[in-house]
Amino acid sequence: MRIGVLALQGGYDPHARTLACFPEVQVSLVRYQAELDSVDALILPGGESTTIGKLLVLQGLWEPLRKRISGGLPVFGTCAGMILLSRQILGSQQLILGLLDISVERNAYGRQVESFEAEVEVSFSPERLNEKAPAVFIRAPRIIAVGPQVTVMAKHEGTPVLVREKNILAASFHPELTDSLEVHRYFLNQVC
Ligand code: GLN
């Protein structure tokens, strides 16, 4: 399985290192369309979502990426990556892919210095409910609404923080900055 990590800006390296823990995975950094075309699944990392959006346009990746995800490419967006996938951002006109039926509010958990770690309870399947997992929130977006096709897999203080809609998985936190491989394992085994 060749798993890409979009590597235009932000925290792509910790995702690449997390994926390297899975022997069945070949990790590819994605910066050009040929690289995008060659992957079986893709991670959109955290970072700065307006910057990543602009770089996607500059690299000519915006439309190819939108088409591949619409066509079923398994994709996992964390933080800024989740913002890019979302359908709506509160009070912002920035470019988004609009493929995941959630509304988000950027930076809603406070500023960079207010970043925090928390334990969240993730329901991976009906057999694996409420498993504790560590979560790092860095200037995180808050999910303020989810559409009817979206499954909420984890909440933090009542707010969804890990969601899935078909081939799209998204987290407002960073599992790649913790010791737990479980969210990536779920992506590889159940979404891909
Ligand atoms: N604050 C960033 C944004 O709005 C997201 C932060 C992150 O990816 N850790 O784009």
Side-chain angles (χ1 to χ4, degrees), residues 46-49 79-80 83 106-107 138-139 174:
E48 215 285 327
S49 56
C79 214
I83 295 171
R106 289 180 62 191
N107 307 322
I138 303 173
R139 222 170 159 235
H174 294 274

Side-chain angles (χ1 to χ4, degrees), residues 150-177:
V150 175
T151 303
V152 175
M153 293 176 57
K155 287 184 178 181
H156 175 256
E157 293 180 349
T159 299
V161 291
L162 178 66
V163 295
R164 176 176 177 187
E165 183 178 7
K166 292 180 262 177
N167 56 316
I168 303 178
L169 181 69
S172 49
F173 61 92
H174 294 274
E176 77 282 8
L177 298 179

Side-chain angles (χ1 to χ4, degrees), residues 92-105:
S92 165
Q93 296 304 313
Q94 80 185 73
L95 208 53
I96 42 178
L97 294 160
L99 298 169
L100 170 63
D101 192 9
I102 61 170
S103 303
V104 302
E105 183 181 358

Side-chain angles (χ1 to χ4, degrees), residues 118-131:
E119 197 169 66
V120 296
E121 288 189 352
V122 185
S123 294
F124 288 106
S125 70
E127 295 76 43
R128 290 180 64 192
L129 297 175
N130 304 319
E131 284 184 18

